[in-house]
């Protein structure tokens, strides 16, 4: 038997493969629900009702998807250039720290304050990712290790901040920073919900990233560097500067997730501001096959699983870890499906 690439990849075939992958993932997870002592059919119905059964649930999905879109875009851009940025979690907190550092002072109006904080957070996140990127380009240090380890460094730094110099004296002893000023908060776009302007910004950012990657020279250079580094260098492309640009964009996007979550949901910094959004962004990007617009759809899918699983867990007493399992199995199934849309197995 041998594996050979397919000559063409049809869009209907790709959609069918993805549907089959999701169906296979649901079948596997049904076994786990059954093992937990509940009916899989009832469990999936409760999950769908919990995720889509009310206006509040739908807005919670959009709210939960907002940081996932940003971190998913961060991973997608970096991975297209073969820059393995596993440090989205750390860059998320770098953005949140910048939002607190600059957003707790001043009295600027919201139309100045919010763009200012997003820009500052994105710049800080991009510069932070430059550290492992320059180590990779100049000293051949594996960025998977450095970006992963920097996550723990940043988390310890945030822990020190909220227990030490940034601890709010009015927080009744809770480890959290001072809240940002009111004009820095993202406005709620649907009353009596938590859905904030960050979701609109995240979707608009996805469109801009898609246009950048597909319609600009810099985007082409990033894709070319990821497709074949040696060929790109032989063709005279500025490969090193393309990777540096990739780092600035990827780190900036991950940091924007932190800014969005802080300004849109909590308003202050805590050590549990992120529910693993930096790591989940990798899953989102892979589910979307690294396509910027696909990231929006996969972020909504992952968010719906988490919201629905929480509801199902409360209703039939099944552990909400089923959401993590469902996401992981879905990722594996989708990767297998994407593989078979690109390659076929033939007998010799």
């Amino acid at each position: 038997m041998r594996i050979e690439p397919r000559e063409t990849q049809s869009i209907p075939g790709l959609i069918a493969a993805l549907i089959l992958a999701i169906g296979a993932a649901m079948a596997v997870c049904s076994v786990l629900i059954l093992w937990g002592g509940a009916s899989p059919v009832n469990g999936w119905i409760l999950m769908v009702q919990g995720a889509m059964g009310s206006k509040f649930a739908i807005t919670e999905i959009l709210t939960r998807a907002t940081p996932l879109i940003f971190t998913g875009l961060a991973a997608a851009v970096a991975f297209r250039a073969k820059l393995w940025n596993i440090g989205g979690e750390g860059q998320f907190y770098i953005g949140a720290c910048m939002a607190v550092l600059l957003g707790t002072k001043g009295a600027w109006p919201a139309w100045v304050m919010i763009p200012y904080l997003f820009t500052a957070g994105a710049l800080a996140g991009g510069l932070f990712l430059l550290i492992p990127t320059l180590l990779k380009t100049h000293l051949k240090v594996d960025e998977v290790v450095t970006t992963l380890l920097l996550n723990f460094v940043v988390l310890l730094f945030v822990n020190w901040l909220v227990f030490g110099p940034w601890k709010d004296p009015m927080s009744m002893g809770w480890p959290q920073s001072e809240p940002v000023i009111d004009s820095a908060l993202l406005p709620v776009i649907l009353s009596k919900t938590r859905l904030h302007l960050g979701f609109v910004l995240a979707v608009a950012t996805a469109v801009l990233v898609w246009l950048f990657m597909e319609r600009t020279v810099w985007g082409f250079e990033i894709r070319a560097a990821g497709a074949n580094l040696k060929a790109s260098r032989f063709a005279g492309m500025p490969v090193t500067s393309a990777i540096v640009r990739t780092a600035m964009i990827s780190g900036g996007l991950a940091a924007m997730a932190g800014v969005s979550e802080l300004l849109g949901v909590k308003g202050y910094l805590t050590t549990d501001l992120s529910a693993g959004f930096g790591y989940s962004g990798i899953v989102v990007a892979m589910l979307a096959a690294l396509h910027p617009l696909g990231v929006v759809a996969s972020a909504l899918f992952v968010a719906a699983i988490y919201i629905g699983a929480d509801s199902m867990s409360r209703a039939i007493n099944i552990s909400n870890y089923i959401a993590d399992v469902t996401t992981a199995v879905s990722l594996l199934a989708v990767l297998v499906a994407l593989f078979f849309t690109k390659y076929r197995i033939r007998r010799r």
Side-chain angles (χ1 to χ4, degrees), residues 21 23 47 67-68 91 144 163 190 243 258 316 328 344:
M47 180 178 280
L68 292 176
Q91 293 139 31
V144 173
F163 277 96
L190 206 57
I243 294 176
I316 57 177
R344 63 162 57 94

Side-chain angles (χ1 to χ4, degrees), residues 276-297:
F277 294 126
Y279 300 110
S280 299
I282 297 172
V283 177
V284 167
M286 298 304 290
L287 281 173
L290 306 185
H291 193 289
L293 298 182
V295 163
V296 177

Side-chain angles (χ1 to χ4, degrees), residues 14 17-25 283-289 298 301 326-341:
L14 176 63
L18 292 175
I19 291 174
L20 283 174
I22 299 300
V283 177
V284 167
M286 298 304 290
L287 281 173
S298 62
F301 171 72
T326 304
T327 305
V329 175
S330 299
L331 174 62
L332 291 174
V334 167
L335 290 178
V336 171
L338 292 176
F339 175 82
F340 282 108
T341 60

Side-chain angles (χ1 to χ4, degrees), residues 61-73:
I61 290 174
L62 302 182
T63 305
R64 184 73 174 253
T66 299
L68 292 176
I69 293 173
F70 281 121
T71 54
L73 290 171

